[in-house]
Amino acid sequence: MTQQTDQCLNEWIDREAIAEAMIPLIGQLYRNNNVVTSIYGRGLINRSVISILKTHRFARHRIGEGAELTVRETYPILKAMSELALGSASVDIGKLAVKFKQEGQGRSIEEFVKAELAPVVDKQNENKHQGKDVVLYGFGRIGRLLARILIEKTGAGDGLRLRAIVVRKGAENDLEKRASLLRRDSVHGSFDGTIVIDEENNTITANGNLIQVIYSNDPASVDYTQYGIQDALLIDNTGIWRDEKGLSQHLQCPGIDRVVLTAPGKGELKNIVHGVNHAEISADDKIISAASCTTNAIVPVLKAINDKFGIENGHVETVHSFTNDQNLIDNFHKGSRRGRAATLNMVLTETGAATAAAKALPVLKGKLTGNAIRVPTPNVSMAILNLNLGKSTTREEMNEYLRQMAMHSELQKQIDYVCSQEVVSTDFVGSRHAGVVDAEATICNDNRLVLYVWYDNEYGYSCQVIRVAEDIAGVNPPAFPQ
């Protein structure tokens, strides 16, 4: 028994040592090459030893029954990558390790990795510090999460670069309060890094990113060029203006080139759900909408299901965390029922997600209805898709299909998959996917399907917004393995 105990501990210590050796390689690839590494969609940048080991353990849910992925298999992949002077890329080293086992064909790891990453080999520094300036107009729940993600993804500086935030001045110590809200978050935890404020120059420096804080009450009156900002992408997360006329005010400002709205757009604005219709973004589009959190959660799953089984019609019910537009206690509200205390009630309300889904996926036009129930939780929501399919299927077939879509399809960044009878809403705080299919809850009866999809309506949606922004700016790096 003692020998077995010692063996288990020694094995763990050995894996810890390898994970420790991986950390500097992950950091060097990120900061020197702008290479973002992951394992089956779970990011590795700025992760601890334990987090890296847990990520490897998680991979067994993706690889298949009884399969394991170890640091002994991924470390050599990282080592080989570090010697190739890579250009910007997103590399899933977990998938590369599994692919090497299946398709290595006698090659060394160095030969295999060089062949797999050939398009970006010896491309280091080709676009260094040629990133796209970004301005956040508004700094609320979504604005601050966008800031965190942008700062996290700064890398070598050749991607999206957060240059400024624009807000209305709320108090004499406004800058200190804004920085404090970025530093601490009751739902998403502490900011991962350092934040310094300069009250004289109205700046926040976060992990080396110098961010100008601009105070303005008028979206059309800011001259961004006086801050050295040129041809910037402005992300409006206030929700005040949602049509082309209102959002066009931003384009009147020197230094602003294009605008993204973090809410469903009205009129003829394109509503983009990344992974589904982002290819529709053209160079002529000066203003686009990134749709809503719920639309982003359901449309990728609906597209996957429609592609294989067809959707005749259905109903979408969202169980949604309360938001800032509701009252904490009973008080007047212009919206129906939303005046009642958000922290004490389930509040039945409307949602435009079912209608908005058809803007991103026109094949669904007229096929879906929708409603929403706001519940007393601060974050993470659920969409219940009650669908009539074009052909019959089984629970097992549907779940396996969606598992494969989460692993290997073009929707793998949008659709995640979980198979556990123990998960609850807080387990999905910080999920970077648009939606997570809960396989244990799937109900199938002939052509009737009820599917449950979790989504972090704050963070997961913010990740989708950033993906849209990267596409617009042309800084979305190639992903490997291809």
Side-chain angles (χ1 to χ4, degrees):
M1 186 65 180
T2 302
Q3 183 178 359
Q4 184 179 4
T5 301
D6 289 344
Q7 183 179 349
C8 286
L9 181 58
N10 290 335
E11 169 69 17
W12 176 256
I13 292 172
D14 184 49
R15 285 184 294 176
E16 279 187 316
I18 297 173
E20 285 174 353
M22 293 174 71
I23 290 174
L25 296 179
I26 292 166
Q28 289 163 19
L29 284 166
Y30 176 56
R31 277 174 278 279
N32 298 337
N33 308 80
N34 205 35
V35 172
V36 176
T37 49
S38 62
I39 291 179
Y40 282 87
R42 264 53 179 180
L44 296 176
I45 297 166
N46 294 328
R47 296 293 182 257
S48 67
V49 167
I50 296 299
S51 179
I52 290 172
L53 292 174
K54 285 177 68 176
T55 301
H56 282 76
R57 179 66 175 161
F58 159 83
R60 75 188 191 282
H61 297 298
R62 294 290 179 264
I63 301 170
E65 189 70 27
E68 291 283 349
L69 180 69
T70 73
V71 288
R72 292 188 183 89
E73 295 167 310
T74 55
Y75 174 77
I77 299 286
L78 268 178
K79 183 71 172 147
M81 288 169 55
S82 70
E83 298 169 354
L84 291 176
L86 300 175
S88 297
S90 176
V91 182
D92 194 312
I93 63 170
K95 291 182 179 179
L96 274 183
V98 172
K99 189 173 183 179
F100 176 69
K101 286 196 293 186
Q102 296 172 344
E103 304 175 19
Q105 298 174 336
R107 290 175 288 177
S108 68
I109 283 185
E110 290 75 16
E111 292 170 334
F112 171 80
V113 171
K114 187 173 184 178
E116 285 291 318
L117 305 183
V120 293
V121 170
D122 295 327
K123 301 292 185 181
Q124 186 177 10
N125 297 328
E126 281 199 354
N127 298 308
K128 193 169 180 64
H129 300 305
Q130 297 298 312
K132 181 75 169 178
D133 289 351
V134 176
V135 173
L136 294 178
Y137 197 90
F139 206 52
R141 296 297 303 155
I142 298 301
R144 292 193 296 274
L145 289 179
L146 291 173
R148 286 189 175 202
I149 298 168
L150 287 166
I151 293 164
E152 174 194 292
K153 292 170 70 71
T154 300
D158 53 2
L160 299 176
R161 303 184 69 183
L162 177 57
R163 297 294 309 280
I165 62 173
V166 185
V167 293
R168 296 179 179 179
K169 192 162 189 176
E172 285 304 312
N173 58 345
D174 186 277
L175 186 66
E176 182 181 340
K177 285 182 173 292
R178 304 283 180 187
S180 179
L181 285 169
L182 178 61
R183 185 180 287 116
R184 306 173 183 90
D185 190 281
S186 300
V187 173
H188 299 281
S190 299
F191 175 78
D192 192 8
T194 63
I195 293 175
V196 179
I197 64 172
D198 182 343
E199 293 186 354
E200 182 178 349
N201 295 301
N202 282 334
T203 62
I204 296 173
T205 302
N207 291 0
N209 291 263
L210 183 64
I211 306 162
Q212 186 69 49
V213 180
I214 302 170
Y215 295 107
S216 176
N217 296 326
D218 180 6
S221 65
V222 182
D223 181 356
Y224 294 95
T225 59
Q226 67 177 306
Y227 304 105
I229 297 170
Q230 300 284 347
D231 300 323
L233 172 65
L234 183 144
I235 303 178
D236 187 321
N237 54 89
T238 66
I240 297 173
W241 305 278
R242 292 172 56 187
D243 60 10
E244 185 173 5
K245 180 180 179 181
L247 293 166
S248 291
Q249 297 176 85
H250 295 302
L251 297 174
Q252 299 174 28
C253 300
I256 300 302
D257 179 47
R258 303 175 88 173
V259 177
V260 173
L261 168 66
T262 63
K266 295 182 178 180
E268 298 302 314
L269 284 184
K270 289 181 180 178
N271 281 254
I272 301 298
V273 174
H274 197 272
V276 176
N277 66 334
H278 62 277
E280 296 177 10
I281 301 173
S282 72
D284 297 328
D285 291 323
K286 289 295 184 180
I287 305 171
I288 65 165
S289 159
S292 71
C293 57
T294 302
T295 305
N296 275 269
I298 65 175
V299 168
V301 177
L302 289 169
K303 181 184 188 311
I305 293 171
N306 187 70
D307 285 349
K308 183 173 177 64
F309 301 97
I311 296 175
E312 297 295 321
N313 52 61
H315 177 78
V316 178
E317 193 74 35
T318 66
V319 182
H320 200 293
S321 293
F322 62 78
T323 59
N324 201 42
D325 76 325
Q326 292 174 257
N327 293 331
L328 289 177
I329 58 175
D330 290 0
N331 208 348
F332 175 82
H333 194 294
K334 65 180 181 179
S336 300
R337 311 188 204 227
R338 294 197 185 192
R340 303 301 296 279
T343 57
L344 297 174
N345 293 290
M346 293 190 293
V347 180
L348 184 63
T349 186
E350 73 283 345
T351 176
T355 303
K359 283 192 171 184
L361 199 60
V363 70
L364 298 179
K365 186 175 182 179
K367 293 184 176 182
L368 298 176
T369 57
N371 241 338
I373 304 169
R374 296 289 181 93
V375 295
T377 55
N379 184 41
V380 179
S381 302
M382 172 181 281
I384 305 169
L385 311 181
N386 196 328
L387 306 173
N388 292 311
L389 306 179
K391 60 181 180 180
S392 61
T393 184
T394 64
R395 180 176 184 267
E396 292 72 24
E397 181 186 23
M398 178 61 69
N399 279 342
E400 178 58 21
Y401 171 65
L402 292 174
R403 189 179 79 88
Q404 292 297 325
M405 294 298 290
M407 285 194 299
H408 302 301
S409 78
E410 293 181 352
L411 294 169
Q412 60 184 294
K413 289 186 177 181
Q414 285 70 45
I415 301 175
D416 200 2
Y417 178 95
V418 64
C419 187
S420 170
Q421 294 181 342
E422 301 299 333
V423 293
V424 294
S425 61
T426 55
D427 294 319
F428 301 98
V429 173
S431 170
R432 294 173 182 258
H433 291 80
V436 185
V437 174
D438 191 321
E440 284 292 331
T442 300
I443 300 171
C444 245
N445 184 2
D446 194 22
N447 71 327
R448 291 286 306 279
L449 170 68
V450 182
L451 201 68
Y452 292 77
V453 181
W454 299 97
Y455 58 108
D456 184 325
N457 47 280
E458 294 184 333
Y459 202 84
Y461 173 66
S462 295
C463 289
Q464 281 287 89
V465 174
I466 294 298
R467 291 173 188 130
V468 170
E470 287 176 333
D471 267 5
I472 292 172
V475 297
N476 204 351
F480 299 93
Q482 294 180 328

